[in-house]
Amino acid sequence: MKLITWTQNRIFFYVIPQVIIVIIINWILISFKNKDEVKTSDDLNVLLVTLDTTRADRVGCYGYKKAKTPNLDFLAANGVMFSDAYCQVPLTLPSHCSLLTGTYPLYNQVHNNGFYYLDNSHLTLAEVLREEGFKTAAFVSSFTVDSRFGIDQGFDSYDDTFDADEILKNFRSEKRAEKVFTSFSHWLDRNFDEKFFCWVHFFDPHVPYDPPSPFREEFPEIPYDGEIAYMDHYIGRIVDKLKTKNIFDKTFIILAGDHGEAFGEKNEIDHGYFIYDVTLRIPLILYFPKRLPSNKVVESRARLIDIAPTVLEMLTIPVVKEIQGVSLLPYIEGRKKESLSSYIETYFPQENYGCSGLIGLVAGDWKYIQAPKPELYNLKLDPQEEKNVFYLRKKVASAMKKELERMIHEFSAKKEAGRKKLTSQEREKLRSLGYVDSGLPEGRKESILPDPKDKIAEYRLFFQGNVYETQGDFKRAQQYYEELLHLNPRIPHNYVRLAYVFQKMKKIKEAVQLLEQGRKRMPDSKIILAGLGFAYLNGGMKEEAIETCQQALRIDPKFFDVLFLAGTIMWMEKKWAEALDYFERAIEIEPENKILQQRYAFCLRAVEKR
Ligand SMILES: [Zn+2]
């Protein structure tokens, strides 16, 4: 009896408490250890959704009260949200090139929209994943990321048709979220049982802000928010679609903005002209239940160039050596906490408005912008970038400038070949950005081009003219564009815009005269030559048109619009073999163009009949 009591006492007072303590300790250890642990795997799908022109501070989960973004908010609440994410260039094509290659524009050499191509020598995330056995597909919604700019590398299918009836794509060519979703949805129906990497690009929040009903009526005052709400609705449709196919839990979803949007801050509207935070800070959300933590906010700064290495690490694929970003998984797990520095730039003010381009650096609490009138901001104390302390904090400014120079040298270089030698063209470009010592006397070394801050009025003139042009008010657009040309006759775009408006008003003679003036001033401008070719044809001057096309093609043999125009002139002249030659070259660049296919087939039959 005594023995039983002794045993009971021992169990009751010693064994049970000890077991309970061990269980509690283990539970604490396990729950502590697993809280933010990331579980990588090579067997999952990757879905990248890019949100064009979406400012982080206009999304609900980033604190914007008026937002209607329940789907983005849901994914953030159940996934990982980066509260301080930056793009490297506030322009669509360069930003997506940085994202897909994991490299700075210094390295991938895509600095602006329109006339830059991502060279084949660069490796994209799609190429790496296709090599690893992933089915790859992209559904894009704007001409800025058309396949002709080389960004389709690695995608088995690349849907960049915008309007099937459109003869020539242009910067107004775009597709609403509904159509992008439909293409994605049809593709998924056929491919959901294979391992895939898919990129869906929504362009809706970009100008013009015109959300469809009922979002238009819901946001009558702020249609931009309506566009974001409309896009969010289709993010929800994507989630539903993945659920229907039973692959929602097998798909790693990345949602990222490509740049923000300015609404008059520092007098900027739209994006691309300056490199202030309103156009650089983007939403970045990663979602993958059971593999990524839930409801986690990472406050350390992240960058678009970090997405590709993060995806590769998630898939346990070795990170490609040319990648300049870093995996964000250690930041999600809390093993690393420091904010990543980012090189930033825009060539847009120089290439489109003839003033100095801008380069800069965001590091720690500071932002430095190298310009003819340099700027330095403490982002922590002054997040609106209102107080330029460049001349007050000289030591910080000097350290930031040095670090920027170091980064330029490090990231312009090919890793395998040591420092890359700059071509004379690249050198000229950097010189005009104020980076390379230009040999000018002290004090004038920075740049001889005007500071974009001093030319913002010209930018706003263009923007207002463009608004009138979009509304079909060509008379008023003409006034604005004429003033712009008068202020800056050295910019090819200024001739082309005005000539386009003239042609819309049936003033063909004026258009031709204007473009001929432009050609006289800038004989090597391919956009003036292309514009002149079209104007000649509109005026019935086919011979002059074809000669101008040939001049343009000598400068850029892959200029699609000009190949198409030259082929069409030959086709009209019934010179089938010549037409066929131009069309063949054009079809290589844009095989999806229906009118081109028809004309090509027509010429082919005509040549065979002979
Ligand atoms: Zn964009």
Side-chain angles (χ1 to χ4, degrees):
M1 187 68 190
K2 225 177 179 181
L3 188 69
I4 291 170
T5 312
W6 182 86
T7 311
Q8 277 177 336
N9 277 348
R10 199 178 153 74
I11 289 172
F12 192 76
F13 288 107
Y14 294 96
V15 179
I16 293 179
Q18 275 189 16
V19 169
I20 291 172
I21 287 168
V22 168
I23 289 172
I24 290 173
I25 289 173
N26 269 328
W27 179 78
I28 290 170
L29 281 175
I30 287 167
S31 59
F32 184 73
K33 187 170 168 258
N34 282 356
K35 198 171 154 268
D36 288 337
E37 198 189 6
V38 176
K39 295 188 190 77
T40 56
S41 163
D42 60 353
D43 184 30
L44 43 93
N45 305 311
V46 180
L47 174 65
L48 168 68
V49 182
T50 55
L51 322 168
D52 213 290
T53 323
T54 303
R55 266 172 80 139
D57 62 1
R58 298 300 274 269
V59 178
C61 52
Y62 282 83
Y64 185 52
K65 296 274 184 294
K66 290 183 198 162
K68 192 182 169 194
T69 50
N71 295 297
L72 282 167
D73 301 349
F74 167 83
L75 294 166
N78 294 281
V80 182
M81 184 178 102
F82 289 84
S83 64
D84 194 19
Y86 275 75
C87 68
Q88 281 60 69
V89 194
L91 292 161
T92 307
L93 179 69
S95 220
H96 282 94
C97 287
S98 279
L99 193 166
L100 288 169
T101 60
T103 64
Y104 285 114
L106 289 166
Y107 183 81
N108 65 48
Q109 295 290 312
V110 179
H111 296 284
N112 201 345
N113 292 330
F115 293 98
Y116 283 90
Y117 308 89
L118 182 65
D119 193 83
N120 259 332
S121 60
H122 293 293
L123 207 52
T124 67
L125 185 59
E127 285 176 295
V128 178
L129 296 190
R130 183 165 70 180
E131 192 68 28
E132 293 286 333
F134 285 73
K135 192 115 190 162
T136 56
F139 306 89
V140 302
S141 54
S142 152
F143 174 70
T144 38
V145 283
D146 193 85
S147 58
R148 73 181 68 179
F149 302 118
I151 195 168
D152 62 329
Q153 291 173 45
F155 288 103
D156 298 321
S157 60
Y158 196 88
D159 182 356
D160 56 357
T161 47
F162 305 112
D163 175 356
D165 299 327
E166 191 172 52
I167 297 177
L168 290 177
K169 292 179 188 175
N170 59 69
F171 282 101
R172 290 178 204 277
S173 306
E174 61 174 269
K175 187 154 66 177
R176 279 201 198 274
E178 183 185 359
K179 282 192 174 172
V180 180
F181 169 74
T182 306
S183 299
F184 161 76
S185 177
H186 289 160
W187 178 87
L188 198 71
D189 284 337
R190 298 189 303 272
N191 297 285
F192 71 95
D193 51 357
E194 291 191 59
K195 194 164 70 169
F196 65 78
F197 167 56
C198 189
W199 168 31
V200 177
H201 168 238
F202 289 128
F203 195 64
D204 303 86
H206 199 279
V207 284
Y209 313 131
D210 59 343
S213 286
F215 301 93
R216 182 182 303 154
E217 292 74 18
E218 260 183 83
F219 295 90
E221 304 293 326
I222 322 173
Y224 173 74
D225 291 351
E227 292 274 31
I228 292 179
Y230 167 65
M231 173 178 73
D232 182 87
H233 171 76
Y234 280 96
I235 291 168
R237 294 287 303 273
I238 288 179
V239 167
D240 292 342
K241 184 77 192 183
L242 295 173
K243 283 181 181 164
T244 323
K245 294 292 172 196
N246 223 5
I247 52 170
F248 187 51
D249 291 343
K250 272 183 66 183
T251 306
F252 175 29
I253 305 176
I254 303 117
L255 302 116
D258 67 336
H259 51 76
E261 184 79 327
F263 294 107
E265 295 89 348
K266 304 263 193 177
N267 285 318
E268 188 185 13
I269 32 179
D270 202 7
H271 54 267
Y273 193 78
F274 286 137
I275 44 176
Y276 298 120
D277 272 11
V278 286
T279 62
L280 290 186
R281 290 187 65 183
I282 48 159
L284 175 59
I285 297 164
L286 310 185
Y287 176 86
F288 203 167
K290 294 179 196 148
R291 294 193 174 275
L292 284 180
S294 173
N295 199 16
K296 166 100 184 170
V297 178
V298 178
E299 286 173 2
S300 36
R301 185 178 304 117
R303 310 158 301 183
L304 276 189
I305 56 168
D306 300 323
I307 290 177
T310 304
V311 170
L312 294 177
E313 196 184 358
M314 193 72 196
L315 293 166
T316 67
I317 297 169
V319 172
V320 179
K321 63 177 177 179
E322 83 166 8
I323 282 181
Q324 297 174 332
V326 298
S327 167
L328 295 172
L329 299 188
Y331 295 86
I332 296 171
E333 290 183 325
R335 287 186 283 122
K336 283 189 180 173
K337 287 194 163 64
E338 84 279 3
S339 269
L340 293 159
S341 302
S342 184
Y343 163 85
I344 49 175
E345 67 158 49
T346 180
Y347 280 29
F348 181 77
Q350 183 184 4
E351 295 183 338
N352 298 53
Y353 294 93
C355 27
S356 172
L358 299 169
I359 52 177
L361 170 69
V362 187
D365 293 342
W366 296 96
K367 182 196 272 185
Y368 167 64
I369 300 172
Q370 185 154 303
K373 294 177 180 173
E375 294 163 72
L376 180 73
Y377 299 99
N378 185 317
L379 297 174
K380 202 172 178 186
L381 302 175
D382 177 23
Q384 314 295 324
E385 298 164 278
E386 282 167 342
K387 194 176 175 208
N388 178 10
V389 294
F390 181 81
Y391 295 103
L392 295 172
R393 302 297 302 269
K394 284 200 163 157
K395 267 191 181 165
V396 179
S398 156
M400 291 289 280
K401 190 176 161 106
K402 260 197 190 142
E403 175 60 10
L404 174 64
E405 287 175 9
R406 189 199 64 76
M407 283 179 94
I408 289 173
H409 280 288
E410 181 183 345
F411 295 118
S412 300
K414 278 190 190 286
K415 280 187 182 171
E416 65 271 31
R419 184 179 295 177
K420 190 180 116 187
K421 210 163 175 255
L422 295 175
T423 64
S424 60
Q425 220 177 359
E426 284 162 356
R427 196 172 169 78
E428 197 43 53
K429 182 69 76 181
L430 284 169
R431 187 197 308 285
S432 56
L433 289 169
Y435 173 63
V436 176
D437 182 346
S438 57
L440 290 168
E442 196 63 46
R444 288 198 57 209
K445 275 185 179 171
E446 290 299 297
S447 172
I448 49 168
L449 293 170
D451 193 297
K453 295 187 278 295
D454 296 332
K455 291 281 176 183
I456 189 78
E458 283 180 32
Y459 175 68
R460 294 193 69 127
L461 266 181
F462 160 70
F463 196 84
Q464 193 51 51
N466 194 252
V467 168
Y468 286 129
E469 186 192 322
T470 310
Q471 291 168 350
D473 188 346
F474 298 120
K475 215 170 170 186
R476 284 173 102 168
Q478 181 193 334
Q479 288 167 3
Y480 278 82
Y481 288 167
E482 274 175 343
E483 198 179 336
L484 194 60
L485 179 67
H486 175 71
L487 286 169
N488 207 339
R490 293 172 297 115
I491 300 297
H493 285 100
N494 291 350
Y495 294 86
V496 177
R497 286 168 194 141
L498 181 56
Y500 179 78
V501 165
F502 277 146
Q503 288 174 85
K504 282 279 173 192
M505 296 161 84
K506 307 273 178 252
K507 294 180 177 176
I508 309 295
K509 216 168 113 193
E510 283 89 335
V512 167
Q513 277 173 355
L514 177 69
L515 289 163
E516 281 177 343
Q517 274 172 30
R519 179 175 62 179
K520 209 168 167 192
R521 199 168 184 137
M522 288 161 284
D524 290 334
S525 164
K526 60 183 181 181
I527 67 162
I528 288 186
L529 290 172
L532 187 56
F534 279 98
Y536 277 141
L537 184 63
N538 277 344
M541 292 174 267
K542 287 185 198 147
E543 220 165 281
E544 288 85 346
I546 197 76
E547 261 173 43
T548 313
C549 286
Q550 283 159 356
Q551 278 177 39
L553 290 172
R554 276 196 288 276
I555 298 165
D556 181 0
K558 285 185 164 186
F559 196 159
F560 176 83
D561 291 9
V562 177
L563 287 169
F564 184 88
L565 174 64
T568 300
I569 298 167
M570 292 293 114
W571 175 71
M572 290 162 88
E573 294 285 288
K574 298 192 170 49
K575 293 182 177 170
W576 311 121
E578 286 94 329
L580 200 62
D581 178 51
Y582 287 119
F583 286 151
E584 250 164 28
R585 286 158 65 189
I587 220 158
E588 252 177 57
I589 300 162
E590 200 179 297
E592 72 275 18
N593 189 311
K594 290 222 167 69
I595 305 279
L596 176 61
Q597 290 166 4
Q598 287 163 10
R599 289 185 189 170
Y600 176 74
F602 190 93
C603 291
L604 207 58
R605 281 198 299 273
V607 167
E608 279 164 5
K609 268 186 205 163
R610 282 200 299 186

